[in-house]
Amino acid sequence: MKAVSDYKEIVPKKKWFETIVVRVFFFFIGMGMQTAYRIDPDVRKEVDSWPETFSFCMSVVGGPSMLMLKKAGSFQYLGEKETFYCDVEMCFKNITFAYLIMTGRISVPNAIYHNRQFVKGSLNYGMSIIRVMNIVQTLLLPNFLARFYIKKVPKLTLKKLVNRAITYFNIGYGVIK
Amino acid sequence: MLFKKNVVIPEYYEFFNSVKIISGYKALEAIPFELSRLGAKRPIIITDKGVAQAGLIKYVVDSFGGTDTVVGAIYDETPQDSSNIVVNQIASIYRANNCDSIIAVGGGSAIDTAKGVNIVITENSDDLLKFMGNYRLSKPMKPFAVIPTTAGTGSEVTMVAVIANPEKNVKMSFTSELLLPKFTVLDPRMTASMPSKITAATGMDALTHAVEAFIGTQKNPVSDAFAAAAMELIRNNIVTVVKEGGNKDVRLAMANASMLAGLAFSNSMVGVVHATAHATGGICHVPHGVANSILLPFGLEFYIGKSPKTKEYIESLLLHVAGPEMYVQTAPAERAVKAVAAIRSITSELNKLCGLPVRLSEVGVTEDKLESIAKSTLNDGALSFSPVEVSFEEALGVIKAAY
Amino acid sequence: MGEAKEKEVSNVKEKNLPEIIGSSNKVLEVDLTTRTSTVYQVTDEERRMYLGGKGLGLKLIYDRMPAKIDPFGKDNIIAFMPGVLMGTGAPCSGRFSAVTKSPLTGIMDHASCGGPFGMSLKTAGWDGLLVKGISETPVYLVITSSGVEFKDASHLWGKDAFETQDLLGKNKNAGAAVIGQAGENKVLFANIVSGKRFLGRGGMGAVMGSKNLKAIYAIGGAYKIVAREKEKFDKIKKLATKRINANSVTSDMLRKFGTDNLVTYTNIAGIMPVHNFTSGSSENAYKLSGEYISENFNTKHHTCKPCTILCGKTGKFNGKDLSVPEYETVGVMGSNLEIFDPVLIAEWNDLCGRFGMDTISMGGTLAWVMEAGEKGLVKTNLKFGSPEGVAEAIEDTAYGRGFGQEMGKGSRALSQKYGGEDFAIQVKGMEMAAYDPRGSYGVGLNYAVANRGACHLSSTVMAQENFVHVLDPYSTIGKHVWVKFFEDFYCAMNSLHTCTFTSFAYILENPLTKYSGLFYLKLVMGYLYPLATKIADISIYHKFWSTITGMKMSRSDFLRAGERIHILERYMNTREGITVKDDTLPGRMLKEGRKNDPKGRVVPLEKMLKNYYRIRSYDENGKPTEGIMKKLSIAVH
Ligand SMILES: NC(=O)c1ccc[n+]([C@@H]2O[C@H](COP(=O)([O-])OP(=O)(O)OC[C@H]3O[C@@H](n4cnc5c(N)ncnc54)[C@H](O)[C@@H]3O)[C@@H](O)[C@H]2O)c1
Ligand code: SF4
Ligand SMILES: [Fe+2]
């Protein structure tokens, strides 16, 4: 029989791989949103309908996050900034959920149905944010991949391809604003 | 195959409910004991003018007779669209009268307000903005009970509250398990006085909850069971309850149906019907139940044309909204259309009985408003739970069809 | 933008006036006791070493004023110092400096202001004005190109600052520096008012009050100021204007929404003070943001002149035309008191303006009283979240009535008397500006070591940490280097003198900085900081100075001059008794996390301070070493 002192605290291992993947995806989506606001009229229309200084954060409980801020005529990606206030925060309950979503194993709409995320702040802009995210994902990903993430994939056009190139350039270069 | 496999296990789902349900004749009299179990002796009663004028508060107060429970205060001025201002006002009444628990008596409006009051009191902050969203509350709440006087919203078992903030011009919505009441009392006396048109409209709201939960994205075996039971009760009682408002058995059946539908939809969520109904209500001030009742058949028709999977669910729906005979007599290919027809026949009967409208044009919606309704539909949270993606044109199509 | 151009031109283009090429180098010295004046000729050596403005003012005082004198005594000197830029029409050059010994902190105090007084003094031919002595009766000075006149001020005594200026008369070329009732009553944080702009911090108004000096009225327009190397100067001016108009911070955020646009950033970062710095953000902060205010209160430009950025604003509040409170004010008088009504804050701001009191110290003191009341240390009807009694408290403070008398001594004195020193949010006696250092470690170091006390302008690292996001706010790496760099640089800039906000444009719009991606910028600034401080482009500043004066000034000379000014000020402060133990933060910042910070972090000051002392060449007591004094050629006396 084991003695009481044999029972020790067990620390589960960190999910570092998932964390890195999610972090990279957050970064791509953030930079993608920032660029999309400048080049995609649909995104611009959605974002312009939000109030000035609107902030939006996507995060994982106890994990990585990304912060977007609408200010001074731009939609800025502020990186993994610790936020003490933001208008809307979409929070994934576990890093694994976020990982599955980012790698296309669970679609964003499904994650919402499944209650794998929750929202802090006003739900009024939720739908609009999801639409922006959908557009950004089609901008970032080839159509055969985008299919995994969103309900309806739009047609591929030359304009889309050009925009995609611009987006990738901006992401690689880290353009400010 | 006569019966389709109705119970589906989704890839993932969550279900939660912790409300004790007390249903039946003289059920109100159980309140003092239940309160004392929770250590409460001085509840505040939150209600609205209509309910107070119908004399329903007397039943509640009388039920405390012979116990040491006293009513700390009665607030009966809850408006239809409750705001943070009202909530804060009630909270100060609560504090001033040393109340220790909250009882909501009324329809969705009074119940939502009471939930808001509970947040303000528990968090000891008059700033509701801080708690907007899901899971923002963490402290154990004050003992809270709900006595519904309408049979429709199911708010007595939902963890949502919607409260307006006129200053910031937003509808603040709060979701948390902590918002659930500790218990709810369904007593037929409480709904007996409801005017027939409100009875019909709220009943249709309940039906819409059950239907949308049954075909929704998050349908699951637990919610299906509740939805099915709710639909059966509604199909058998909704017409009678409008005809014979004083019949306690049907009143109790409808109260239960509404509660069951609430259990179902609060976990599997609603879809395009509620999204369009919220938008219509928001822009043209159409009562929630009435808007749902009008839009329900059109929403279903939209789904049938869009998604084969949802169509399958709607086929099974026929069993619940029309009964087993009708279901077996109908060829599988026609079941979906028949299900919609069955719902239409209910609404048209209610239309004849009490003038429940069946078209948006009958309730003051004008043609020039349709576009803005469609636009606001797209921003409604319920839409994210719709089984199919809805574009602006499609939303407009549904609304135009119902016009 | 068009508007900005016009203003610049109108102020400079005067016909056929005698010209001052470069600078007049004449400083008028006035003694109120004897009612006499002399003229001091600034040497080229002094000019080169101390540039002008703040630096020169400090140096002149250092040579004339012994240590340990009473700030309210006749020996205290107050210096008003325009720099070489004033009058040349360079962008945002409408600002002048004042230097004196502060009654609030007991150490040296410098303030900067964009009111019309500076321009009038300068175009009257004076590069500085030193006032000492005490007048027996209320007096005001009239300064013209021919010197000073002493005039009886008994009809002005008791009038508020705006009224006093009206009574002095309107003249296109004249500008006044006046005090309100607070200065007369020697409120320790009374300020000096010029137009609707202020020499804000440290109680300079009380120094004037102690001298019985109600106002100084300068009548300028006698000279035209021209740069010695005109063509080169114009080129730089053009470049400077271009950068200001290209930069989004200066041309968009500050120009459209004023300094209040910062609310968004500070609230997100959790450095917006709430409830006397117990918490760092609020859901309601949006109501204090420049965006909200400009949308709801019909704001218009009302700025220092000349200015190209145009951050100052007035608005319609409750039907009245009032100045839009600056970020610091909405922070310390708004969120910090849990008041989120811009109308109330604008009214209190206006009250403070009229009485002539620093809003930051007033706000900080009000917050201390509210918390002390909550804790039962003092009896008061002031409560967080309630506007009740605030306006009265401000008035009582200005007039020294009742408890207001004690409030007029600031939160340090109050907490020494009643207890509660940990939550007296001040350093060296000066109340903290509206950036919580617990969410911006560099600012923590800055507050602790800044020469005049908890001043946010001595090195604005919160911008790098929380507005442009190139430095990690929760890291101590390199912060000492950045704080030192900006202190030196701002000392030099305040000696030119031009507006701090130009640095966003002049530095960031350098092509190298502008077009290098975010990652490289973060990498270079966050980790290769010694390199970054060497290459940051500040050329516009020293080129302005050298083209105007015609003297050579390299980048390193310029920063060296800044360092000299900073060290001299520090040295003078150590003579007054400042040591290492004064370089600290309020207890709350070192022991208690913000309520809404789950990690409960506090400022890790010690480590940063040690590094800072090392690169500053301070000894373990916080005194500049002989070595550095010698290196910077500061004579010890
Ligand atoms: N929290 C939730 O889950 C949820 C769900 C759906 C709807 N709602 C909210 O509920 C509200 C609608 O609720 P509702 O449909 O129950 O209506 P309601 O509460 O607004 O009541 C409608 C009217 O009927 C009167 N009334 C109610 N019961 C009566 C009775 N027994 N006898 C006589 N008159 C009576 C009331 O005085 C009122 O004038 C909406 O504001 C909606 O946002 C909440
Ligand atoms: S930017 Fe603002 S503070 Fe600077 S000079 Fe212009 S108005 Fe004055
Ligand atoms: Fe409903």
Side-chain angles (χ1 to χ4, degrees), chain A residues 157-172:
Chain A
T157 59
L158 184 65
K159 180 103 183 39
K160 267 242 129 80
L161 281 175
V162 172
N163 282 354
R164 188 172 295 163
I166 298 175
T167 313
Y168 273 97
F169 173 76
N170 283 357
I171 291 172

Side-chain angles (χ1 to χ4, degrees), chain C residues 92 95 197 303-304 307 309-312 499 501:
Chain C
C92 303
R95 301 188 63 95
R197 305 240 132 210
T303 67
C304 315
C307 173
I309 300 174
L310 311 174
C311 81
C499 176
F501 298 142

